[in-house]
Amino acid sequence: MIRKKSKALVAMSLIMSALIMVSGCGASKPATPAPAPEAAASKEPIKIGFLGAKTGDVAIYGLNTLKGLNMAIAELNKEGVLGRQVALVEEDNAGQKDQAINITNKLISQDKVVAIIGDPTTGITRVAGSIANSKKTVIMSAGSTGTDVVEIGPYVFRDTLLDTIAAPATMQYVIKEKGWKNVALITSKNNDYSVSLSKIFTKAINDNGGKVVIEEFIQDKDTDFSGQITKIKAANPDVIVFSGYYTEGALIMKKAREVGIKAVMVGGDGLQGDDLMKIGGAAVEGSISYAGFSPEQPTPNTEKFINAYKAKYNNELPDLFAAQGYDALMLIAKAIKDANSADPEKFKDTLAKTKAYDGVSGTITFQASREPIKSPVYLLEVKGGKFALLKKVPVEVK
């Protein structure tokens, strides 16, 4: 009797356990797999770092780049990117390499940005690019035009008009069309951009039948150029080619005019800044420089950008740094969308395949080396205290 009851109890226990299991299966939902990293971060903003100067001697480059970036941020966040907002993390390197190194490390390690836009200068781009590339974070300069930039590695980009394309086009115009064959070349020795550009200018001068009759050297932040200008006057050049930035360029030309030199100054986009005219005044009238952007004779896409920029910034016209900053972020956002991922390891390859992108600063194609080919080259002349379009030189994309 006890044995029969024991068997009955065991049987009943098994039945109850089975019912509980069936009931449990019916009431519960299948286990949800852990979300993929992209999905888990879907509500977090996509962080983009800004690397540039907001103070210091080259602040105009950084501040105008920021204006273009903020235009792009506002436009992108109307719909979002992959369902996420885009957030800009700003820092100020004051144009100093040591600060740029610290900021680059912070943006990547602490702020967790997926890409960095900046610095607009070549020297800082090189040091920041090395860090970003080693940490597998995309960096795109919206200003650097010198050599040895994208060669750093596959995460390093720029959307600029290259000196190797623009300087020869400029010297062809200067020598062949203007007839200015005898050149005084001035280089800033402590400026990587200037040192690199002077080499490119020298080759372009020789290739177009010109001659460097005198070469002088200065340093950034110098203010007294009496010695160099005295020697240049004795050489009687047709044109002064200066490969540095606008502050020193303006002061050089003020001294040149004081001693009676009538030759105009020609340079790269380092001369692009309103302070060239503010500091130099009448002395820089007629100065010629090249750029990857001009608000004159705009395409429909560029005109739309210009009108929006003027509405946002009190009727101010954008310069090349604003336009290239805008294009840089738009290029990165497009790559993220096309790759369906905000992971730099994934969207960098998509970014590298960009062809004939209709940017506001021109048509942009990345070559196999990731170097950009931009068309056209804009030659600008200081006229009436402003940069005015002198000539558009188309660039053949091969």
Side-chain angles (χ1 to χ4, degrees), residues 286-321:
S287 294
I288 297 170
S289 56
Y290 59 74
F293 172 78
S294 170
E296 298 182 65
Q297 301 179 21
T299 64
N301 190 35
T302 303
E303 186 172 26
K304 180 181 175 183
F305 167 74
I306 291 170
N307 290 336
Y309 190 95
K310 289 170 68 176
K312 184 176 179 65
Y313 296 114
N314 196 29
N315 213 36
E316 177 185 333
L317 280 172
D319 71 354
L320 81 157
F321 294 101

PDB file of all heavy atoms in Angstrom, residues 286-321:
ATOM      1  N   GLY A 286      45.867  94.007 -55.441  1.00  0.00           N
ATOM      2  CA  GLY A 286      46.432  93.336 -56.605  1.00  0.00           C
ATOM      3  C   GLY A 286      47.073  92.002 -56.301  1.00  0.00           C
ATOM      4  O   GLY A 286      47.450  91.261 -57.223  1.00  0.00           O
ATOM      5  N   SER A 287      47.211  91.661 -55.020  1.00  0.00           N
ATOM      6  CA  SER A 287      47.806  90.368 -54.651  1.00  0.00           C
ATOM      7  C   SER A 287      46.953  89.227 -55.197  1.00  0.00           C
ATOM      8  O   SER A 287      45.725  89.294 -55.202  1.00  0.00           O
ATOM      9  CB  SER A 287      47.919  90.248 -53.132  1.00  0.00           C
ATOM     10  OG  SER A 287      48.835  91.190 -52.620  1.00  0.00           O
ATOM     11  N   ILE A 288      47.627  88.168 -55.641  1.00  0.00           N
ATOM     12  CA  ILE A 288      46.943  87.028 -56.251  1.00  0.00           C
ATOM     13  C   ILE A 288      47.222  85.775 -55.435  1.00  0.00           C
ATOM     14  O   ILE A 288      48.369  85.517 -55.046  1.00  0.00           O
ATOM     15  CB  ILE A 288      47.417  86.813 -57.702  1.00  0.00           C
ATOM     16  CG1 ILE A 288      47.058  88.028 -58.562  1.00  0.00           C
ATOM     17  CG2 ILE A 288      46.803  85.541 -58.301  1.00  0.00           C
ATOM     18  CD1 ILE A 288      47.698  88.014 -59.950  1.00  0.00           C
ATOM     19  N   SER A 289      46.183  85.004 -55.182  1.00  0.00           N
ATOM     20  CA  SER A 289      46.346  83.714 -54.501  1.00  0.00           C
ATOM     21  C   SER A 289      45.345  82.735 -55.073  1.00  0.00           C
ATOM     22  O   SER A 289      44.353  83.128 -55.677  1.00  0.00           O
ATOM     23  CB  SER A 289      46.152  83.858 -52.986  1.00  0.00           C
ATOM     24  OG  SER A 289      44.892  84.429 -52.699  1.00  0.00           O
ATOM     25  N   TYR A 290      45.641  81.468 -54.895  1.00  0.00           N
ATOM     26  CA  TYR A 290      44.698  80.456 -55.385  1.00  0.00           C
ATOM     27  C   TYR A 290      43.875  79.900 -54.233  1.00  0.00           C
ATOM     28  O   TYR A 290      44.248  79.987 -53.067  1.00  0.00           O
ATOM     29  CB  TYR A 290      45.419  79.326 -56.116  1.00  0.00           C
ATOM     30  CG  TYR A 290      46.447  78.571 -55.310  1.00  0.00           C
ATOM     31  CD1 TYR A 290      46.077  77.655 -54.321  1.00  0.00           C
ATOM     32  CD2 TYR A 290      47.803  78.736 -55.552  1.00  0.00           C
ATOM     33  CE1 TYR A 290      47.022  76.957 -53.596  1.00  0.00           C
ATOM     34  CE2 TYR A 290      48.756  78.028 -54.831  1.00  0.00           C
ATOM     35  CZ  TYR A 290      48.365  77.141 -53.870  1.00  0.00           C
ATOM     36  OH  TYR A 290      49.301  76.445 -53.144  1.00  0.00           O
ATOM     37  N   ALA A 291      42.721  79.341 -54.590  1.00  0.00           N
ATOM     38  CA  ALA A 291      41.830  78.779 -53.584  1.00  0.00           C
ATOM     39  C   ALA A 291      40.993  77.673 -54.206  1.00  0.00           C
ATOM     40  O   ALA A 291      40.869  77.580 -55.430  1.00  0.00           O
ATOM     41  CB  ALA A 291      40.926  79.862 -53.001  1.00  0.00           C
ATOM     42  N   GLY A 292      40.416  76.865 -53.341  1.00  0.00           N
ATOM     43  CA  GLY A 292      39.528  75.797 -53.794  1.00  0.00           C
ATOM     44  C   GLY A 292      38.074  76.209 -53.768  1.00  0.00           C
ATOM     45  O   GLY A 292      37.190  75.370 -53.926  1.00  0.00           O
ATOM     46  N   PHE A 293      37.828  77.519 -53.591  1.00  0.00           N
ATOM     47  CA  PHE A 293      36.444  77.993 -53.511  1.00  0.00           C
ATOM     48  C   PHE A 293      36.379  79.484 -53.786  1.00  0.00           C
ATOM     49  O   PHE A 293      37.298  80.233 -53.441  1.00  0.00           O
ATOM     50  CB  PHE A 293      35.874  77.724 -52.109  1.00  0.00           C
ATOM     51  CG  PHE A 293      34.526  78.347 -51.859  1.00  0.00           C
ATOM     52  CD1 PHE A 293      33.372  77.761 -52.362  1.00  0.00           C
ATOM     53  CD2 PHE A 293      34.414  79.528 -51.139  1.00  0.00           C
ATOM     54  CE1 PHE A 293      32.121  78.344 -52.152  1.00  0.00           C
ATOM     55  CE2 PHE A 293      33.169  80.116 -50.916  1.00  0.00           C
ATOM     56  CZ  PHE A 293      32.022  79.508 -51.423  1.00  0.00           C
ATOM     57  N   SER A 294      35.291  79.881 -54.426  1.00  0.00           N
ATOM     58  CA  SER A 294      34.958  81.298 -54.563  1.00  0.00           C
ATOM     59  C   SER A 294      33.446  81.420 -54.572  1.00  0.00           C
ATOM     60  O   SER A 294      32.762  80.599 -55.194  1.00  0.00           O
ATOM     61  CB  SER A 294      35.527  81.870 -55.867  1.00  0.00           C
ATOM     62  OG  SER A 294      35.005  83.172 -56.101  1.00  0.00           O
ATOM     63  N   PRO A 295      32.901  82.440 -53.899  1.00  0.00           N
ATOM     64  CA  PRO A 295      31.444  82.622 -53.928  1.00  0.00           C
ATOM     65  C   PRO A 295      30.952  83.213 -55.239  1.00  0.00           C
ATOM     66  O   PRO A 295      29.740  83.285 -55.470  1.00  0.00           O
ATOM     67  CB  PRO A 295      31.197  83.591 -52.764  1.00  0.00           C
ATOM     68  CG  PRO A 295      32.468  84.347 -52.625  1.00  0.00           C
ATOM     69  CD  PRO A 295      33.561  83.386 -52.991  1.00  0.00           C
ATOM     70  N   GLU A 296      31.873  83.631 -56.112  1.00  0.00           N
ATOM     71  CA  GLU A 296      31.481  84.199 -57.395  1.00  0.00           C
ATOM     72  C   GLU A 296      31.266  83.098 -58.434  1.00  0.00           C
ATOM     73  O   GLU A 296      31.922  82.051 -58.399  1.00  0.00           O
ATOM     74  CB  GLU A 296      32.545  85.179 -57.889  1.00  0.00           C
ATOM     75  CG  GLU A 296      32.752  86.380 -56.967  1.00  0.00           C
ATOM     76  CD  GLU A 296      33.778  87.349 -57.504  1.00  0.00           C
ATOM     77  OE1 GLU A 296      33.532  87.955 -58.558  1.00  0.00           O
ATOM     78  OE2 GLU A 296      34.836  87.494 -56.868  1.00  0.00           O
ATOM     79  N   GLN A 297      30.351  83.346 -59.352  1.00  0.00           N
ATOM     80  CA  GLN A 297      29.997  82.386 -60.411  1.00  0.00           C
ATOM     81  C   GLN A 297      29.681  81.004 -59.814  1.00  0.00           C
ATOM     82  O   GLN A 297      30.241  79.987 -60.226  1.00  0.00           O
ATOM     83  CB  GLN A 297      31.131  82.270 -61.437  1.00  0.00           C
ATOM     84  CG  GLN A 297      31.490  83.572 -62.118  1.00  0.00           C
ATOM     85  CD  GLN A 297      32.634  83.414 -63.100  1.00  0.00           C
ATOM     86  OE1 GLN A 297      32.929  82.315 -63.578  1.00  0.00           O
ATOM     87  NE2 GLN A 297      33.294  84.519 -63.414  1.00  0.00           N
ATOM     88  N   PRO A 298      28.763  80.931 -58.857  1.00  0.00           N
ATOM     89  CA  PRO A 298      28.515  79.663 -58.167  1.00  0.00           C
ATOM     90  C   PRO A 298      27.680  78.687 -58.994  1.00  0.00           C
ATOM     91  O   PRO A 298      26.885  79.097 -59.854  1.00  0.00           O
ATOM     92  CB  PRO A 298      27.740  80.100 -56.921  1.00  0.00           C
ATOM     93  CG  PRO A 298      26.998  81.326 -57.368  1.00  0.00           C
ATOM     94  CD  PRO A 298      27.919  82.025 -58.317  1.00  0.00           C
ATOM     95  N   THR A 299      27.853  77.395 -58.709  1.00  0.00           N
ATOM     96  CA  THR A 299      26.950  76.378 -59.226  1.00  0.00           C
ATOM     97  C   THR A 299      25.647  76.458 -58.418  1.00  0.00           C
ATOM     98  O   THR A 299      25.613  77.093 -57.355  1.00  0.00           O
ATOM     99  CB  THR A 299      27.557  74.978 -59.068  1.00  0.00           C
ATOM    100  OG1 THR A 299      27.697  74.701 -57.651  1.00  0.00           O
ATOM    101  CG2 THR A 299      28.914  74.872 -59.737  1.00  0.00           C
ATOM    102  N   PRO A 300      24.575  75.802 -58.872  1.00  0.00           N
ATOM    103  CA  PRO A 300      23.322  75.837 -58.088  1.00  0.00           C
ATOM    104  C   PRO A 300      23.505  75.334 -56.660  1.00  0.00           C
ATOM    105  O   PRO A 300      22.947  75.914 -55.719  1.00  0.00           O
ATOM    106  CB  PRO A 300      22.395  74.923 -58.895  1.00  0.00           C
ATOM    107  CG  PRO A 300      22.879  75.054 -60.306  1.00  0.00           C
ATOM    108  CD  PRO A 300      24.377  75.169 -60.192  1.00  0.00           C
ATOM    109  N   ASN A 301      24.296  74.281 -56.482  1.00  0.00           N
ATOM    110  CA  ASN A 301      24.534  73.731 -55.143  1.00  0.00           C
ATOM    111  C   ASN A 301      25.291  74.727 -54.271  1.00  0.00           C
ATOM    112  O   ASN A 301      24.976  74.925 -53.092  1.00  0.00           O
ATOM    113  CB  ASN A 301      25.323  72.419 -55.265  1.00  0.00           C
ATOM    114  CG  ASN A 301      25.403  71.663 -53.956  1.00  0.00           C
ATOM    115  OD1 ASN A 301      24.456  71.673 -53.166  1.00  0.00           O
ATOM    116  ND2 ASN A 301      26.514  70.997 -53.724  1.00  0.00           N
ATOM    117  N   THR A 302      26.293  75.365 -54.866  1.00  0.00           N
ATOM    118  CA  THR A 302      27.081  76.360 -54.130  1.00  0.00           C
ATOM    119  C   THR A 302      26.245  77.582 -53.793  1.00  0.00           C
ATOM    120  O   THR A 302      26.344  78.143 -52.691  1.00  0.00           O
ATOM    121  CB  THR A 302      28.309  76.778 -54.955  1.00  0.00           C
ATOM    122  OG1 THR A 302      29.079  75.619 -55.277  1.00  0.00           O
ATOM    123  CG2 THR A 302      29.182  77.744 -54.178  1.00  0.00           C
ATOM    124  N   GLU A 303      25.407  78.000 -54.724  1.00  0.00           N
ATOM    125  CA  GLU A 303      24.554  79.178 -54.486  1.00  0.00           C
ATOM    126  C   GLU A 303      23.594  78.944 -53.329  1.00  0.00           C
ATOM    127  O   GLU A 303      23.364  79.841 -52.499  1.00  0.00           O
ATOM    128  CB  GLU A 303      23.772  79.518 -55.756  1.00  0.00           C
ATOM    129  CG  GLU A 303      22.970  80.812 -55.634  1.00  0.00           C
ATOM    130  CD  GLU A 303      22.352  81.233 -56.954  1.00  0.00           C
ATOM    131  OE1 GLU A 303      22.101  80.361 -57.805  1.00  0.00           O
ATOM    132  OE2 GLU A 303      22.123  82.444 -57.131  1.00  0.00           O
ATOM    133  N   LYS A 304      23.046  77.743 -53.246  1.00  0.00           N
ATOM    134  CA  LYS A 304      22.153  77.390 -52.135  1.00  0.00           C
ATOM    135  C   LYS A 304      22.898  77.502 -50.802  1.00  0.00           C
ATOM    136  O   LYS A 304      22.375  78.045 -49.822  1.00  0.00           O
ATOM    137  CB  LYS A 304      21.631  75.969 -52.326  1.00  0.00           C
ATOM    138  CG  LYS A 304      20.691  75.498 -51.231  1.00  0.00           C
ATOM    139  CD  LYS A 304      20.241  74.059 -51.496  1.00  0.00           C
ATOM    140  CE  LYS A 304      19.380  73.537 -50.339  1.00  0.00           C
ATOM    141  NZ  LYS A 304      18.999  72.115 -50.561  1.00  0.00           N
ATOM    142  N   PHE A 305      24.130  77.004 -50.767  1.00  0.00           N
ATOM    143  CA  PHE A 305      24.950  77.088 -49.556  1.00  0.00           C
ATOM    144  C   PHE A 305      25.250  78.535 -49.201  1.00  0.00           C
ATOM    145  O   PHE A 305      25.146  78.944 -48.032  1.00  0.00           O
ATOM    146  CB  PHE A 305      26.248  76.304 -49.772  1.00  0.00           C
ATOM    147  CG  PHE A 305      27.311  76.555 -48.730  1.00  0.00           C
ATOM    148  CD1 PHE A 305      27.189  76.019 -47.457  1.00  0.00           C
ATOM    149  CD2 PHE A 305      28.424  77.332 -49.022  1.00  0.00           C
ATOM    150  CE1 PHE A 305      28.166  76.248 -46.489  1.00  0.00           C
ATOM    151  CE2 PHE A 305      29.403  77.559 -48.064  1.00  0.00           C
ATOM    152  CZ  PHE A 305      29.271  77.026 -46.799  1.00  0.00           C
ATOM    153  N   ILE A 306      25.627  79.321 -50.186  1.00  0.00           N
ATOM    154  CA  ILE A 306      25.967  80.729 -49.948  1.00  0.00           C
ATOM    155  C   ILE A 306      24.775  81.484 -49.362  1.00  0.00           C
ATOM    156  O   ILE A 306      24.920  82.245 -48.391  1.00  0.00           O
ATOM    157  CB  ILE A 306      26.434  81.397 -51.252  1.00  0.00           C
ATOM    158  CG1 ILE A 306      27.786  80.830 -51.680  1.00  0.00           C
ATOM    159  CG2 ILE A 306      26.535  82.919 -51.083  1.00  0.00           C
ATOM    160  CD1 ILE A 306      28.211  81.249 -53.079  1.00  0.00           C
ATOM    161  N   ASN A 307      23.600  81.272 -49.923  1.00  0.00           N
ATOM    162  CA  ASN A 307      22.402  81.970 -49.434  1.00  0.00           C
ATOM    163  C   ASN A 307      22.076  81.573 -47.991  1.00  0.00           C
ATOM    164  O   ASN A 307      21.714  82.435 -47.171  1.00  0.00           O
ATOM    165  CB  ASN A 307      21.215  81.678 -50.347  1.00  0.00           C
ATOM    166  CG  ASN A 307      21.360  82.341 -51.706  1.00  0.00           C
ATOM    167  OD1 ASN A 307      22.077  83.339 -51.842  1.00  0.00           O
ATOM    168  ND2 ASN A 307      20.706  81.805 -52.714  1.00  0.00           N
ATOM    169  N   ALA A 308      22.209  80.280 -47.695  1.00  0.00           N
ATOM    170  CA  ALA A 308      21.941  79.817 -46.326  1.00  0.00           C
ATOM    171  C   ALA A 308      22.986  80.373 -45.362  1.00  0.00           C
ATOM    172  O   ALA A 308      22.670  80.748 -44.224  1.00  0.00           O
ATOM    173  CB  ALA A 308      21.928  78.296 -46.292  1.00  0.00           C
ATOM    174  N   TYR A 309      24.225  80.427 -45.808  1.00  0.00           N
ATOM    175  CA  TYR A 309      25.315  80.951 -44.969  1.00  0.00           C
ATOM    176  C   TYR A 309      25.091  82.431 -44.668  1.00  0.00           C
ATOM    177  O   TYR A 309      25.231  82.876 -43.523  1.00  0.00           O
ATOM    178  CB  TYR A 309      26.641  80.745 -45.706  1.00  0.00           C
ATOM    179  CG  TYR A 309      27.879  81.019 -44.885  1.00  0.00           C
ATOM    180  CD1 TYR A 309      28.544  79.987 -44.232  1.00  0.00           C
ATOM    181  CD2 TYR A 309      28.408  82.310 -44.783  1.00  0.00           C
ATOM    182  CE1 TYR A 309      29.697  80.227 -43.491  1.00  0.00           C
ATOM    183  CE2 TYR A 309      29.551  82.555 -44.047  1.00  0.00           C
ATOM    184  CZ  TYR A 309      30.196  81.507 -43.402  1.00  0.00           C
ATOM    185  OH  TYR A 309      31.332  81.756 -42.668  1.00  0.00           O
ATOM    186  N   LYS A 310      24.737  83.195 -45.683  1.00  0.00           N
ATOM    187  CA  LYS A 310      24.485  84.626 -45.491  1.00  0.00           C
ATOM    188  C   LYS A 310      23.318  84.861 -44.532  1.00  0.00           C
ATOM    189  O   LYS A 310      23.360  85.773 -43.699  1.00  0.00           O
ATOM    190  CB  LYS A 310      24.208  85.284 -46.840  1.00  0.00           C
ATOM    191  CG  LYS A 310      25.441  85.396 -47.732  1.00  0.00           C
ATOM    192  CD  LYS A 310      25.073  85.837 -49.145  1.00  0.00           C
ATOM    193  CE  LYS A 310      24.573  87.254 -49.170  1.00  0.00           C
ATOM    194  NZ  LYS A 310      24.300  87.691 -50.569  1.00  0.00           N
ATOM    195  N   ALA A 311      22.297  84.020 -44.642  1.00  0.00           N
ATOM    196  CA  ALA A 311      21.137  84.162 -43.757  1.00  0.00           C
ATOM    197  C   ALA A 311      21.520  83.861 -42.307  1.00  0.00           C
ATOM    198  O   ALA A 311      21.003  84.482 -41.370  1.00  0.00           O
ATOM    199  CB  ALA A 311      20.027  83.225 -44.209  1.00  0.00           C
ATOM    200  N   LYS A 312      22.442  82.926 -42.112  1.00  0.00           N
ATOM    201  CA  LYS A 312      22.829  82.518 -40.754  1.00  0.00           C
ATOM    202  C   LYS A 312      23.860  83.464 -40.140  1.00  0.00           C
ATOM    203  O   LYS A 312      23.845  83.718 -38.938  1.00  0.00           O
ATOM    204  CB  LYS A 312      23.395  81.091 -40.781  1.00  0.00           C
ATOM    205  CG  LYS A 312      23.744  80.533 -39.407  1.00  0.00           C
ATOM    206  CD  LYS A 312      24.206  79.085 -39.507  1.00  0.00           C
ATOM    207  CE  LYS A 312      24.588  78.503 -38.151  1.00  0.00           C
ATOM    208  NZ  LYS A 312      23.445  78.405 -37.234  1.00  0.00           N
ATOM    209  N   TYR A 313      24.742  84.006 -40.978  1.00  0.00           N
ATOM    210  CA  TYR A 313      25.861  84.795 -40.463  1.00  0.00           C
ATOM    211  C   TYR A 313      25.812  86.266 -40.909  1.00  0.00           C
ATOM    212  O   TYR A 313      26.824  86.819 -41.369  1.00  0.00           O
ATOM    213  CB  TYR A 313      27.184  84.141 -40.866  1.00  0.00           C
ATOM    214  CG  TYR A 313      27.383  82.769 -40.250  1.00  0.00           C
ATOM    215  CD1 TYR A 313      27.410  81.634 -41.050  1.00  0.00           C
ATOM    216  CD2 TYR A 313      27.516  82.611 -38.869  1.00  0.00           C
ATOM    217  CE1 TYR A 313      27.581  80.366 -40.498  1.00  0.00           C
ATOM    218  CE2 TYR A 313      27.681  81.355 -38.308  1.00  0.00           C
ATOM    219  CZ  TYR A 313      27.713  80.243 -39.118  1.00  0.00           C
ATOM    220  OH  TYR A 313      27.873  78.985 -38.569  1.00  0.00           O
ATOM    221  N   ASN A 314      24.658  86.864 -40.765  1.00  0.00           N
ATOM    222  CA  ASN A 314      24.509  88.312 -40.923  1.00  0.00           C
ATOM    223  C   ASN A 314      25.027  88.806 -42.281  1.00  0.00           C
ATOM    224  O   ASN A 314      25.787  89.777 -42.360  1.00  0.00           O
ATOM    225  CB  ASN A 314      25.244  89.039 -39.777  1.00  0.00           C
ATOM    226  CG  ASN A 314      24.823  90.491 -39.649  1.00  0.00           C
ATOM    227  OD1 ASN A 314      23.705  90.849 -39.986  1.00  0.00           O
ATOM    228  ND2 ASN A 314      25.734  91.329 -39.163  1.00  0.00           N
ATOM    229  N   ASN A 315      24.624  88.121 -43.328  1.00  0.00           N
ATOM    230  CA  ASN A 315      24.930  88.506 -44.708  1.00  0.00           C
ATOM    231  C   ASN A 315      26.411  88.372 -45.074  1.00  0.00           C
ATOM    232  O   ASN A 315      26.870  88.909 -46.085  1.00  0.00           O
ATOM    233  CB  ASN A 315      24.472  89.941 -44.994  1.00  0.00           C
ATOM    234  CG  ASN A 315      24.011  90.109 -46.427  1.00  0.00           C
ATOM    235  OD1 ASN A 315      23.403  89.201 -47.004  1.00  0.00           O
ATOM    236  ND2 ASN A 315      24.299  91.256 -47.017  1.00  0.00           N
ATOM    237  N   GLU A 316      27.160  87.640 -44.271  1.00  0.00           N
ATOM    238  CA  GLU A 316      28.582  87.403 -44.538  1.00  0.00           C
ATOM    239  C   GLU A 316      28.728  86.351 -45.636  1.00  0.00           C
ATOM    240  O   GLU A 316      27.998  85.365 -45.686  1.00  0.00           O
ATOM    241  CB  GLU A 316      29.262  86.921 -43.253  1.00  0.00           C
ATOM    242  CG  GLU A 316      30.726  86.558 -43.410  1.00  0.00           C
ATOM    243  CD  GLU A 316      31.292  85.967 -42.123  1.00  0.00           C
ATOM    244  OE1 GLU A 316      30.777  86.296 -41.043  1.00  0.00           O
ATOM    245  OE2 GLU A 316      32.233  85.152 -42.217  1.00  0.00           O
ATOM    246  N   LEU A 317      29.706  86.550 -46.512  1.00  0.00           N
ATOM    247  CA  LEU A 317      29.982  85.564 -47.546  1.00  0.00           C
ATOM    248  C   LEU A 317      30.930  84.489 -47.006  1.00  0.00           C
ATOM    249  O   LEU A 317      31.884  84.810 -46.290  1.00  0.00           O
ATOM    250  CB  LEU A 317      30.622  86.223 -48.763  1.00  0.00           C
ATOM    251  CG  LEU A 317      29.695  86.942 -49.753  1.00  0.00           C
ATOM    252  CD1 LEU A 317      30.515  87.706 -50.776  1.00  0.00           C
ATOM    253  CD2 LEU A 317      28.768  85.953 -50.442  1.00  0.00           C
ATOM    254  N   PRO A 318      30.716  83.230 -47.340  1.00  0.00           N
ATOM    255  CA  PRO A 318      31.625  82.184 -46.876  1.00  0.00           C
ATOM    256  C   PRO A 318      32.954  82.233 -47.615  1.00  0.00           C
ATOM    257  O   PRO A 318      33.016  82.662 -48.772  1.00  0.00           O
ATOM    258  CB  PRO A 318      30.861  80.893 -47.210  1.00  0.00           C
ATOM    259  CG  PRO A 318      30.007  81.266 -48.387  1.00  0.00           C
ATOM    260  CD  PRO A 318      29.604  82.698 -48.146  1.00  0.00           C
ATOM    261  N   ASP A 319      34.029  81.817 -46.936  1.00  0.00           N
ATOM    262  CA  ASP A 319      35.319  81.682 -47.605  1.00  0.00           C
ATOM    263  C   ASP A 319      35.600  80.208 -47.856  1.00  0.00           C
ATOM    264  O   ASP A 319      34.753  79.343 -47.593  1.00  0.00           O
ATOM    265  CB  ASP A 319      36.437  82.347 -46.800  1.00  0.00           C
ATOM    266  CG  ASP A 319      36.782  81.590 -45.516  1.00  0.00           C
ATOM    267  OD1 ASP A 319      36.090  80.606 -45.183  1.00  0.00           O
ATOM    268  OD2 ASP A 319      37.753  81.985 -44.846  1.00  0.00           O
ATOM    269  N   LEU A 320      36.787  79.902 -48.360  1.00  0.00           N
ATOM    270  CA  LEU A 320      37.071  78.507 -48.710  1.00  0.00           C
ATOM    271  C   LEU A 320      37.093  77.596 -47.489  1.00  0.00           C
ATOM    272  O   LEU A 320      36.741  76.415 -47.592  1.00  0.00           O
ATOM    273  CB  LEU A 320      38.405  78.391 -49.456  1.00  0.00           C
ATOM    274  CG  LEU A 320      39.700  78.379 -48.658  1.00  0.00           C
ATOM    275  CD1 LEU A 320      40.806  77.712 -49.475  1.00  0.00           C
ATOM    276  CD2 LEU A 320      40.139  79.800 -48.309  1.00  0.00           C
ATOM    277  N   PHE A 321      37.482  78.101 -46.317  1.00  0.00           N
ATOM    278  CA  PHE A 321      37.549  77.242 -45.137  1.00  0.00           C
ATOM    279  C   PHE A 321      36.149  76.865 -44.658  1.00  0.00           C
ATOM    280  O   PHE A 321      35.912  75.729 -44.239  1.00  0.00           O
ATOM    281  CB  PHE A 321      38.361  77.928 -44.035  1.00  0.00           C
ATOM    282  CG  PHE A 321      39.801  78.094 -44.400  1.00  0.00           C
ATOM    283  CD1 PHE A 321      40.273  79.312 -44.845  1.00  0.00           C
ATOM    284  CD2 PHE A 321      40.677  77.024 -44.347  1.00  0.00           C
ATOM    285  CE1 PHE A 321      41.595  79.469 -45.218  1.00  0.00           C
ATOM    286  CE2 PHE A 321      42.007  77.168 -44.717  1.00  0.00           C
ATOM    287  CZ  PHE A 321      42.470  78.394 -45.162  1.00  0.00           C
TER     288      PHE A 321
END
